[in-house]
Amino acid sequence: MRLAFMGSPDFAVPALRALHGAGHEIAAVYCQPPRPAGRGQKEQPCPVHRAALELGLPVRTPARLRKDEAEHAAFAALGLEAAVVAAYGLILPRTMLEAPRRGCLNIHASLLPRWRGAAPIQAAILAGDAESGITIMQMEEGLDTGPMLLKGTVPIGPRTTTPELHDALSAMGARLALEALDRSPPTLPQSAEGATYAPKLSKADAPLDWTLSAAALDRRVRALNPWPGTVFTLAGETIRVLAAEPTEGAGPPGTVLNEAALIACGEGALRLLRLQRPGRGPLPARDFLRGFPLPPGAVLG
């Protein structure tokens, strides 16, 4: 089948590889343009771009699409049966959505209509959902509102992290995308009832609010690492929390309760398990505390 693939981050790479490996003709791979990264701020291609080059596939990296009529025409001229989209990062205008004969299929990392939007994996963990999944959706102009073709579920355990859930959903998305193309299943309209929205995350989401319950803060640590991370401040230094666990304990929120990095929360306490200072490597709490103690009675910001 003659396809275009549209995606940018690591999440989308397994789907691209699966489509290529299954023998589909990928006429073009669309992804975000290279951007400065690293200490030297040299322009780096995104993961999908790198994978496409490795597979010998043609790559297009338009910076915008909505009003680029030349790009619309170039896409239509590809003569596609379908386009498969996974975390591309640009909104497709109607002319592009309607160009492939079977339209554009989106690999969305949630059980729609729950968690439409930019950060569905993190949102599911933050909310304490018991499961997440993949929805293969026929794209339309609304934000993740199109009719659904296939779904698959993945359980979220009490210690599940975003990287773990990301990888499970990424692999499932690749399998379901192949199945949707092979089977052409009937579509099921989404209901607006029960729809939720997962907004884009930013660095403003990183500071821990110790007035929340220990259970909620544990979910934040598991959901927001590796990015934007979860942090607190003490003695003018911002410390990153990479792992933690909720437990019993009581005191004014943010107060260090003992020498083993137990922190009082709005309800219960959070035991810090893995920490990192700026410019240093991550350490287990016991090793971190040898060089940067959290004295009992101190209040974390």
Side-chain angles (χ1 to χ4, degrees):
M1 190 179 298
R2 186 171 171 82
L3 305 172
F5 184 82
M6 313 179 87
S8 297
D10 287 321
F11 177 83
V13 171
L16 173 61
R17 293 191 182 278
L19 292 168
H20 181 266
H24 290 287
E25 179 189 1
I26 301 177
V29 174
Y30 283 74
C31 53
Q32 291 282 309
R35 289 190 166 84
R39 291 186 178 180
Q41 288 295 287
K42 293 183 179 179
E43 287 198 342
Q44 300 289 336
C46 68
V48 165
H49 193 156
R50 295 195 297 269
L53 293 178
E54 178 187 325
L55 297 170
L57 300 172
V59 178
R60 298 181 69 91
T61 58
R64 59 188 61 83
L65 288 176
R66 277 189 172 181
K67 297 181 180 180
D68 191 336
E69 294 184 3
E71 197 64 58
H72 303 176
F75 186 74
L78 293 172
L80 302 172
E81 183 71 17
V84 177
V85 184
Y88 176 33
L90 292 179
I91 296 174
L92 304 187
R94 177 181 292 184
T95 52
M96 295 183 71
L97 292 172
E98 295 177 348
R101 285 182 287 278
R102 289 176 57 181
C104 299
L105 306 185
N106 180 242
I107 304 171
H108 185 74
S110 82
L111 298 172
L112 290 170
R114 186 156 178 81
W115 303 127
R116 297 170 178 171
I121 295 175
Q122 295 90 337
I125 295 176
L126 285 170
D129 290 357
E131 64 179 9
S132 182
I134 288 289
T135 303
I136 305 296
M137 173 192 69
Q138 191 83 43
M139 295 179 70
E140 59 181 28
E141 288 187 281
L143 179 63
D144 301 328
T145 58
M148 303 174 292
L149 287 83
L150 290 173
K151 281 187 176 183
T153 60
V154 173
I156 300 176
R159 307 309 311 151
T160 298
T161 65
T162 280
E164 292 167 346
L165 185 56
H166 169 282
D167 291 352
L169 294 177
S170 178
M172 175 177 283
R175 295 194 300 272
L176 291 183
L178 288 175
E179 184 178 345
L181 291 172
D182 291 343
R183 284 180 43 203
S184 299
T187 59
L188 177 67
Q190 285 192 53
S191 169
E193 185 177 351
T196 51
Y197 180 67
K200 186 176 182 179
L201 297 169
S202 74
K203 290 183 179 180
D205 295 302
L208 292 169
D209 178 358
W210 298 105
T211 65
L212 298 176
S213 70
L217 288 170
D218 167 57
R219 293 195 297 270
R220 293 194 72 80
V221 172
R222 290 186 287 114
L224 300 187
N225 281 299
W227 195 89
T230 47
V231 302
F232 65 84
T233 58
L234 181 66
E237 193 158 341
T238 299
I239 307 300
R240 187 163 184 167
V241 180
L242 300 171
E245 63 182 2
T247 187
E248 296 181 355
T255 301
V256 180
L257 296 178
N258 63 22
E259 295 180 351
L262 184 66
I263 316 301
C265 305
E267 179 182 338
L270 192 71
R271 189 181 308 282
L272 309 182
L273 300 177
R274 194 166 180 81
L275 301 161
Q276 184 176 14
R277 295 175 70 181
R280 310 283 185 89
L283 291 171
R286 63 180 179 276
D287 297 329
F288 178 92
L289 294 172
R290 293 191 186 104
F292 192 93
L294 303 181
V299 179
L300 308 184

